[in-house]
Amino acid sequence: MITFISCMVALVVGYMIYGKFVENVFGADENRPTPCQVNPDGVDFVPLSEKKNMLIQLLNIAGLGPIFGAIMGALWGPVAFLWIVLGSIFAGAVHDYFSGMLSIRNNGAGLPKIVETYLGTFMGKFVNFFALILLVLVGVVFVAGPAALLAVLTPAWMDLAFWSAVIFIYYIIATLLPIDKIIGRIYPVFGAILLIMALGICGSLFIGGYSIPELTLANLHPKALPIWPLLFVTIACGAISGFHATQSPLVARCTTNERLGRRIFYGMMIAEGAIAMVWAAAAMSVFGGTAGLQDAMAKLGGTAGIVRHVSMTMMGALGGTFAILGVVVLPVTSGDTAFRSARLLIADFLKMNQGPMLDRLKISIPLFVVGYLISTVDFNFIWRYFAWANQTTAMFMLWAAASYLYQNNKLHWIASIPAAFMTAVSFTYILQAPEGFSLPTTISYPGGLVLTVLVVLAFIRYITKQKSGSPTIGA
């Protein structure tokens, strides 16, 4: 329990101290006009209040990851707490802050444009393709998870196929309509459900007398899977997630003052880290340790079954049902904006105006057809590739942030160190994972290190060359 409380306190202190430090390094300017003030279009560039933007950002980024990922990460034991805290403060929140603020500084640019601006045209085009795949995968992944939970709670005729269709229809509506018509109105309600769910589970940990394991760096995984790099990919959205870099620009286009960025972008990542802490602690405590959690996953039907059992056990039938609805809200409110972001990425690439409904339909219809076809593939297969693509996208965003900082004579280490770390995670994972090259650790570990060093050297060469040339956009 001491470890859990200490980690929660560390998240708050990290926001207050390191978050303020990051803001000062960036140099947020409250007098600088923002994109929604300069280019309002009534669809995507719409001024929204600070509270709405905070809730939209939180619900956009907090998909299945801080719950499903935290539960799966709990199999390694309390070491997962350490990654959630350190990852959220020094990597994830920094990543989210710069993806939002650099979008504001570049007229509401999406991730590919940000990468192109600070890492070059080739990298921008590559990330455009890569991010589009990631967003479609996210949209698909965030249909199957909530649909499975809803199917358990409702009559038999409301099966997985029924709820998948309902969620897809909602995604289509949310993707096409102006951001303030659907997302801006229902997210505050969803946000209340989410917060009540998280607080309910957290309160039950204390009131119910559950024994939360204390910190140990030992690997407690029942199958002895290595901590490096698997834990750092398994717990993504609760520590650092490249998907967030595709979502922050949506809110950046609705933000009215740069000084709000720390609360909206940095702060909401810290909040997501707190949600991941709650679910990791619950998963370790309710089943008496990692071995019990592994057995429960097999008996209850995976992470969705764990969520249902934990919710009902800790909060009773009514409270548990409400908690499960909160878990449903998380992925649904990330899936809708994933498809919305995909529409905007394609529109930016094709230079297609998104004001007219017909132009939005031209992009959205084929996008959802592709999404539906992918949804027929095995969920676990999609999730494995999504996890790696997610962390690789974070790597790109952090290197872009580091380039911006270096070229503008700012402290680039706050971005370049986590960028190098995530590069090592991504390369080592794909060399080692079954969906990658399936290499043993004796090869994947040194191989990942060598590739990371090469990327760092290439980055140094690029930024040195760029700094000697023209000034950077967005300073």
Side-chain angles (χ1 to χ4, degrees):
M1 187 68 74
I2 294 175
T3 297
F4 177 76
I5 295 173
S6 299
C7 287
M8 285 297 209
V9 171
L11 286 171
V12 175
V13 173
Y15 165 75
M16 296 172 64
I17 297 177
Y18 196 69
K20 184 64 177 178
F21 175 71
V22 169
E23 180 185 52
N24 290 339
V25 170
F26 176 80
D29 183 359
E30 63 184 356
N31 297 314
R32 188 169 184 148
T34 61
C36 67
Q37 295 168 331
V38 177
N39 303 305
D41 68 354
V43 179
D44 299 302
F45 291 78
V46 180
L48 295 176
S49 69
E50 176 189 0
K51 290 182 179 179
K52 281 191 175 183
N53 278 329
M54 289 176 68
L55 284 172
I56 291 172
Q57 177 71 3
L58 176 61
L59 291 168
N60 284 356
I61 66 176
L64 286 172
I67 298 177
F68 281 30
I71 290 171
M72 291 187 288
L75 288 168
W76 276 275
V79 69
F81 292 153
L82 201 60
W83 167 231
I84 291 171
V85 172
L86 296 179
S88 294
I89 295 171
F90 297 106
V94 173
H95 168 278
D96 289 12
Y97 181 79
F98 278 97
S99 61
M101 297 307 292
L102 290 180
S103 176
I104 290 176
R105 286 287 174 93
N106 289 276
N107 302 314
L111 172 63
K113 183 61 179 177
I114 293 173
V115 172
E116 180 179 342
T117 301
Y118 301 111
L119 294 179
T121 302
F122 172 78
M123 290 303 300
K125 293 186 181 302
F126 176 78
V127 170
N128 193 76
F129 174 75
F130 197 87
L132 186 59
I133 293 175
L134 174 66
L135 286 168
V136 174
L137 286 178
V138 168
V140 171
V141 165
F142 291 170
V143 169
L149 284 171
L150 287 169
V152 171
L153 297 173
T154 52
W157 64 272
M158 293 182 175
D159 57 9
L160 181 63
F162 171 84
W163 283 114
S164 296
V166 170
I167 293 172
F168 254 118
I169 291 170
Y170 165 72
Y171 283 175
I172 292 171
I173 295 171
T175 298
L176 291 172
L177 292 182
I179 194 167
D180 59 330
K181 302 305 181 187
I182 295 290
I183 294 174
R185 292 182 179 179
I186 66 173
Y187 271 37
V189 178
F190 286 166
I193 294 174
L194 166 61
L195 293 174
I196 291 172
M197 174 270 294
L199 290 172
I201 296 294
C202 185
S204 296
L205 285 172
F206 291 93
I207 297 172
Y210 291 94
S211 178
I212 304 175
E214 301 298 346
L215 180 62
T216 173
L217 299 181
N219 184 353
L220 302 182
H221 199 290
K223 296 183 179 179
L225 296 180
I227 293 175
W228 175 265
L230 298 186
L231 174 63
F232 304 93
V233 174
T234 302
I235 301 180
C237 291
I240 178 172
S241 166
F243 171 65
H244 299 186
T246 67
Q247 300 303 289
S248 294
L250 293 180
V251 177
R253 292 165 177 163
C254 302
T255 301
T256 57
N257 193 308
E258 284 193 359
R259 282 293 180 185
L260 302 177
R262 180 164 71 100
R263 291 192 285 273
I264 294 171
F265 303 116
Y266 195 101
M268 292 305 97
M269 178 60 230
I270 296 298
E272 187 187 50
I275 293 171
M277 281 291 302
V278 168
W279 280 96
M284 292 180 205
S285 305
V286 171
F287 303 102
T290 58
L293 176 59
Q294 180 71 48
D295 292 340
M297 281 189 176
K299 294 176 181 177
L300 299 174
T303 47
I306 294 294
V307 169
R308 183 174 186 274
H309 180 84
V310 168
S311 299
M312 295 296 183
T313 300
M314 300 185 78
M315 298 180 66
L318 180 60
T321 300
F322 199 70
I324 292 173
L325 289 176
V327 176
V328 170
V329 162
L330 283 172
V332 169
T333 53
S334 291
D336 58 1
T337 50
F339 280 111
R340 189 181 188 90
S341 297
R343 170 176 66 79
L344 291 169
L345 286 188
I346 296 172
D348 288 345
F349 181 76
L350 298 177
K351 294 180 172 54
M352 184 182 293
N353 180 17
Q354 289 299 278
M357 176 63 79
L358 181 60
D359 287 341
R360 281 176 261 162
L361 285 169
K362 288 178 181 177
I363 296 175
S364 299
I365 291 175
L367 188 63
F368 278 103
V369 169
V370 171
Y372 172 76
L373 293 175
I374 295 176
S375 71
T376 61
V377 180
D378 178 63
F379 174 82
N380 291 323
F381 178 82
I382 296 173
W383 181 264
R384 290 200 303 268
Y385 281 99
F386 159 69
W388 172 75
N390 194 31
Q391 300 305 65
T392 303
T393 303
M395 172 190 78
F396 288 128
M397 180 60 234
L398 284 169
W399 282 123
S403 177
Y404 161 80
L405 291 170
Y406 182 86
Q407 292 178 46
N408 288 282
N409 299 313
K410 300 175 186 287
L411 188 67
H412 69 86
W413 298 110
I414 62 173
S416 56
I417 290 176
F421 181 83
M422 293 311 300
T423 301
V425 168
S426 297
F427 278 128
T428 306
Y429 180 84
I430 202 62
L431 290 175
Q432 181 178 319
E435 60 270 25
F437 295 93
S438 299
L439 298 175
T441 56
T442 53
I443 298 176
S444 63
Y445 283 6
L449 178 61
V450 169
L451 290 172
T452 300
V453 170
L454 291 176
V455 169
V456 171
L457 292 175
F459 173 75
I460 293 173
R461 181 175 181 274
Y462 175 80
I463 59 175
T464 302
K465 182 178 179 181
Q466 289 299 112
K467 193 169 184 180
S468 63
S470 57
T472 302
I473 299 173

